[in-house]
Amino acid sequence: MLRECTEIFKEQLQQNNNLLFDSYIPANGTYLIVKEDGTLLEPVEIELDKKSGQINRTNRYFTKICQYDYYSRLIDMNKPQDNKKIIHSNNYLSFFVKKESFQNGKLDAEAIDRYFDAVSHPELKYKGQTLKIYQMLEEEIGGVPRDIAEKNRMWIKENIFQLDVDLSKKDYLKIFFEAPMEQYQRENDRYLVPNIYNSNDYNLEMKGEVYGLPNNNLGMNAKKPFLSSRTKKIEVPFLLNKEEVLLQKKFFDHLMNFAMAGKSNVYIDTDQRTICAFKNNEIIDRDFKGYYLRIQKGKEVEIHSSDIIPSYHPSVRRPLVYRNALSYTPKEHKEGTEYGTYYTKEKIQSLLDAVFFSKFLKGNYFTPQNKLGMNDGYIKRNLIISREAIFDWLYKDEEVQVAKVLGNVSLDLVLGALKEGYIFKAMDCFNLRHSLLEYFSDKGEDTMENRINQIVTDLKAKLDAKETSEIQSDNEYFFAVGQLVQYYISLNKGKKKTHALVNPFLNARTDAVLKKKLVQFFLKYNYDIEVSSRRFNNLYCMITEYELKGQFEKDLMIAGYLHSSLIYVPKEDK
C-alpha cells in the first residue's frame, strides 16, 4: 500500500516541482537571509495560526525561505550535526537555534565552532557503513567548499549576538546564507544520504547499490531485539535503495505539511492519481476510490491508521428523513438540525453532532478519553462507544457496525437526556433515533411516526368512550403506560419535579414489575384523581387488563411519556 501511495505522490511531484513547497509550513520563528556582501534582508516573522492551520505567505521572500528551510532541516533530533543538539540545521549554509538558547547560555562560541567543524568535515564523524556511503556520495557531488563554510562561521560568530531580534519568544531564530538553490540541495544530500536510513547497520549492498531500512514510522535498534523478525533470513521488514528511500521521505514530508495544517484525514485516489487531505470536521466532497490514511504530527508525521476504500460517495445511499415522530413543536432548531430530508454525509454529521452529542462529535473522533472535556457523563460515554463506527460510516462508507452501535447508543442518549431533565433534547434524540433506525432497516411505511399517529388516533377515541374499551396491541399498551406515567408525575407536588421520577418504569424488566409500579403510583397519587375522570379511568383500566404478548418494549413507553398528554387535551367541539 505504501509503495503505491508513494508512486502516486511521485506522479504528482513530476507534474508540480513545487508540490512540497506550495503547502510547506516552516516552524514559528524569526527568519533572516544574509546576502553575499554580509548584509541582511528584512527579517521575516512566521507564526502558524493553530485555529485555521494557515500562515501568512504574502512576504516576497517566503517561497525562498520555504526552500532554504526544507533543505536545511534535520531528519530528526536523533541525527543532529551538533552532537549536543543546540544547533538544529544540517549544513554550513544555514544556522538554526532556539531563542531560549540565548537566554540559558547554551549558545556560545564553542557551540558555533562545534557545529561548523561537523558540517565542514563530515567524514570525521562517520565510520563503518555510514562512512562508506558518504565516500560514495562525495565522489558524486564533491567535497565541502571549506572557504565558504569558514566565511559563514565567521559571520555567525561576529554577528549572532548583536542581532536586533526579539529573543523573548519560545520559537526559532533561523539564518540562511544566500546561495543558489542547487547548492542548498547538494548540501542537504550531503547530510541526508548517510543518515536517511533507520540504521546503516542493516544496509545490504547488491550489484553496487545500497539497500537499507527506511526511517519513517519504523524503529529498529539493538536495545529492542523484539522488533526484529527472527524467522526471516533478513530480520528487517523491508529494504529500499537510495532513490526509493528519498522518494518515501519526500512523501512523508508532504504528509507532514498536511499534519502541520491540521489536516489529519488523507485520501489517496488510485483512479484519479491524486492526494488530498481534510481537517477532522471536514468530509471529502467527491467520489473516491483508493487509500485512506489517518495522520498526526508528532516528532515526525505519524500514520495512526490506514484503510482501503473500494468506493466512497459524499451522498448517502438513500436520503435520511429526520421525522418529528412525537409531533411536538420545538422552541427553535439551529440551522442544519431542522426536521426534514438529509442527502449528504456532511449534513448528517452536523445533525448527529448537534442532536446526539451537543457539538462534541466533530472535533473529538480521535481525542484521548482523558482529554474529552464535557460535563455530561452520558454523552461522553456514548461518544466513546460510537465515534469509531460513525467515523467509518461518514468518512469511509462502511456501514457494517454503525447501525447496531447507533441503535444501542441512541436509546441510552434518550434515557440520559431524560434523567438529566433535558426534555426537548430527549424528544429530538428520540426522533433522530427512529429516523436512523428507519434509514438502516428500510421498513417502508412502517415508521415510528406512522405507528404513533395511529396509536394516538385510536387511544384518543378509547379514552373518551363511555364504556371502557380494550388495548389491541403491545405497541398501544406501552404507549398507554407512558401516558399514564406522565399523568402521575404531573400530579407530583414536589418543589423540584424532575424526569428522574420515570426511572422506575424505564428500569423495569418485566410486565409484572411494570404493573406493580403502576399500582404503587396509583396509591401514591389517587388522592388527587377525581372518581369521575373518565379518561384516567379508561386508561388505567385498559392497562391493568391487558396481557403482554411479545417482548418488553421501552421505545413506545418513552414515546408515550414524551408525547403531549391525551388525558389533558381539550375535548373536540361537536
Side-chain angles (χ1 to χ4, degrees):
M1 181 181 112
L2 186 57
R3 183 179 293 275
E4 187 170 3
C5 291
T6 54
E7 285 299 321
I8 294 172
F9 168 73
K10 182 180 179 180
E11 293 171 16
Q12 287 208 315
L13 198 59
Q14 289 170 344
Q15 296 170 12
N16 178 10
N17 292 329
N18 290 321
L19 180 64
L20 284 171
F21 305 117
D22 289 343
S23 58
Y24 185 74
I25 299 178
N28 290 352
T30 304
Y31 288 73
L32 303 175
I33 297 178
V34 183
K35 296 195 294 184
E36 290 187 11
D37 61 4
T39 60
L40 289 170
L41 296 176
E42 60 185 81
V44 178
E45 295 290 339
I46 293 178
E47 185 172 2
L48 175 67
D49 185 331
K50 293 182 179 180
K51 188 173 182 180
S52 67
Q54 299 294 324
I55 54 175
N56 184 1
R57 296 177 178 271
T58 59
N59 188 281
R60 57 180 172 167
Y61 303 119
F62 184 81
T63 300
K64 180 180 284 191
I65 285 174
C66 287
Q67 294 173 331
Y68 283 167
D69 189 65
Y70 179 76
Y71 291 126
S72 301
R73 300 186 309 175
L74 297 175
I75 294 174
D76 59 53
M77 288 308 298
N78 292 323
K79 296 184 177 182
Q81 295 283 43
D82 175 15
N83 58 18
K84 292 194 176 179
K85 303 181 181 180
I86 305 302
I87 299 160
H88 296 173
S89 42
N90 72 29
N91 65 71
Y92 62 86
L93 294 171
S94 54
F95 193 87
F96 298 176
V97 61
K98 287 191 172 182
K99 291 178 180 177
E100 60 193 54
S101 295
F102 287 88
Q103 312 296 336
N104 57 29
K106 290 183 179 180
L107 180 66
D108 53 20
E110 181 184 347
I112 296 170
D113 284 332
R114 186 173 61 243
Y115 171 70
F116 277 97
D117 287 345
V119 297
S120 300
H121 303 275
E123 70 280 357
L124 298 180
K125 64 179 291 189
Y126 298 138
K127 57 184 178 180
Q129 282 282 347
T130 308
L131 178 59
K132 187 175 181 179
I133 292 173
Y134 176 72
Q135 289 171 340
M136 291 170 62
L137 176 69
E138 192 172 72
E139 289 178 7
E140 182 182 336
I141 66 173
V144 176
R146 294 194 176 96
D147 55 335
I148 300 177
E150 285 304 311
K151 177 184 174 183
N152 294 348
R153 182 205 299 255
M154 294 308 300
W155 191 97
I156 292 293
K157 294 181 77 171
E158 291 171 3
N159 295 279
I160 190 72
F161 298 106
Q162 279 77 45
L163 295 173
D164 184 17
V165 174
D166 180 7
L167 300 175
S168 61
K169 294 183 178 180
K170 291 187 177 181
D171 55 17
Y172 273 101
L173 171 64
K174 294 190 177 185
I175 300 172
F176 303 104
F177 292 91
E178 198 168 42
M181 204 57 63
E182 295 78 10
Q183 190 174 348
Y184 266 91
Q185 290 175 317
R186 183 174 66 249
E187 296 310 318
N188 180 56
D189 288 345
R190 191 185 305 280
Y191 162 75
L192 200 60
V193 173
N195 294 285
I196 189 67
Y197 292 114
N198 179 272
S199 172
N200 291 324
D201 295 339
Y202 303 112
N203 290 1
L204 293 177
E205 187 174 344
M206 293 179 284
K207 297 180 181 180
E209 193 169 17
V210 175
Y211 290 80
L213 177 69
N215 197 45
N216 309 110
N217 282 205
L218 282 174
M220 290 281 291
N221 60 64
K223 295 180 180 179
K224 298 178 180 178
F226 53 85
L227 296 173
S228 302
S229 179
R230 300 296 186 179
T231 59
K232 294 167 55 180
K233 186 175 181 180
I234 299 176
E235 296 180 352
V236 297
F238 62 100
L239 299 171
L240 300 178
N241 63 23
K242 184 178 79 171
E243 181 182 344
E244 291 169 334
V245 76
L246 288 173
L247 176 63
Q248 182 171 299
K249 180 193 177 295
K250 288 181 180 179
F251 173 63
F252 274 81
D253 289 340
H254 191 47
L255 295 181
M256 177 59 90
N257 290 345
F258 290 142
M260 288 285 291
K263 297 179 178 180
S264 300
N265 300 311
V266 181
Y267 294 86
I268 301 169
D269 196 314
T270 52
D271 280 353
Q272 301 297 322
R273 314 299 285 179
T274 58
I275 301 174
C276 55
F278 298 87
K279 294 184 178 181
N280 279 339
N281 58 351
E282 297 175 343
I283 293 179
I284 185 170
D285 55 357
R286 69 206 73 160
D287 289 352
F288 171 81
K289 175 184 177 183
Y291 300 111
Y292 165 80
L293 303 178
R294 170 72 189 181
I295 63 173
Q296 182 173 311
K297 180 184 176 296
K299 292 182 179 179
E300 60 175 337
V301 64
E302 302 166 355
I303 298 177
H304 283 207
S305 66
S306 60
D307 210 341
I308 299 172
I309 301 179
S311 179
Y312 179 90
H313 304 285
S315 57
V316 285
R317 55 183 172 81
R318 65 190 189 88
L320 169 67
V321 183
Y322 181 28
R323 302 182 189 278
N324 189 356
L326 294 173
S327 301
Y328 90 102
T329 303
K331 289 185 176 179
E332 70 170 318
H333 267 164
K334 293 183 179 178
E335 185 179 355
T337 65
E338 302 91 347
Y339 290 113
T341 305
Y342 291 76
Y343 298 94
T344 66
K345 295 183 175 73
E346 183 179 12
K347 297 292 185 183
I348 291 173
Q349 176 179 238
S350 297
L351 185 64
L352 293 172
D353 187 32
V355 176
F356 277 170
F357 300 105
S358 299
K359 298 294 183 73
F360 281 102
L361 174 65
K362 284 185 181 181
N364 291 301
Y365 281 114
F366 299 93
T367 305
Q369 295 184 22
N370 61 342
K371 294 185 179 180
L372 286 171
M374 56 187 74
N375 296 323
D376 295 317
Y378 76 98
I379 293 180
K380 182 176 181 178
R381 177 177 68 249
N382 288 293
L383 175 63
I384 292 169
I385 292 170
S386 63
R387 59 184 176 176
E388 182 178 354
I390 295 173
F391 185 88
D392 287 346
W393 174 35
L394 300 178
Y395 287 78
K396 301 181 187 178
D397 242 349
E398 296 178 6
E399 286 192 10
V400 177
Q401 297 293 332
V402 71
K404 182 178 180 181
V405 170
L406 281 179
N408 296 331
V409 161
S410 60
L411 179 59
D412 196 51
L413 286 166
V414 174
L415 296 174
L418 271 177
K419 291 174 183 176
E420 294 294 328
Y422 306 138
I423 186 66
F424 293 109
K425 181 173 180 61
M427 290 179 176
D428 285 334
C429 285
F430 181 90
N431 288 335
L432 181 55
R433 162 178 165 75
H434 285 280
S435 299
L436 288 166
L437 292 176
E438 175 192 338
Y439 171 84
F440 289 118
S441 62
D442 193 13
K443 291 183 178 180
E445 296 298 319
D446 185 26
T447 65
M448 180 58 75
E449 183 178 34
N450 289 341
R451 289 158 68 186
I452 291 176
N453 287 341
Q454 186 60 53
I455 290 171
V456 169
T457 300
D458 294 343
L459 207 54
K460 272 184 178 179
K462 291 175 183 179
L463 294 188
D464 285 328
K466 292 182 179 180
E467 294 185 4
T468 303
S469 185
E470 293 181 353
I471 289 175
Q472 299 299 318
S473 67
D474 287 358
N475 286 345
E476 187 178 3
Y477 167 69
F478 282 109
F479 187 91
V481 169
Q483 283 281 298
L484 182 58
V485 173
Q486 180 198 116
Y487 177 67
Y488 281 149
I489 292 176
S490 72
L491 301 176
N492 186 282
K493 304 297 185 183
K495 291 183 179 179
K496 187 178 180 181
K497 186 161 53 178
T498 70
H499 292 288
L501 294 170
V502 77
N503 289 352
F505 301 94
L506 297 177
N507 293 334
R509 299 292 182 88
T510 66
D511 189 45
V513 172
L514 186 62
K515 284 188 168 69
K516 181 179 179 181
K517 295 291 182 183
L518 290 172
V519 171
Q520 290 174 351
F521 267 52
F522 174 74
L523 296 175
K524 184 175 182 179
Y525 296 112
N526 60 13
Y527 70 91
D528 204 19
I529 303 172
E530 295 181 5
V531 174
S532 60
S533 177
R534 178 185 296 174
R535 288 178 176 175
F536 170 80
N537 293 339
N538 284 340
L539 182 63
Y540 188 74
C541 184
M542 287 190 295
I543 288 173
T544 55
E545 290 183 355
Y546 185 78
E547 293 185 7
L548 187 63
K549 299 178 179 64
Q551 299 294 318
F552 201 84
E553 173 64 66
K554 283 187 180 180
D555 273 284
L556 267 302
M557 193 194 308
I558 294 170
Y561 178 76
L562 292 175
H563 196 280
S564 57
S565 175
L566 302 182
I567 292 179
Y568 288 123
V569 67
K571 290 184 179 180
E572 296 179 2
D573 293 333
K574 300 296 182 180

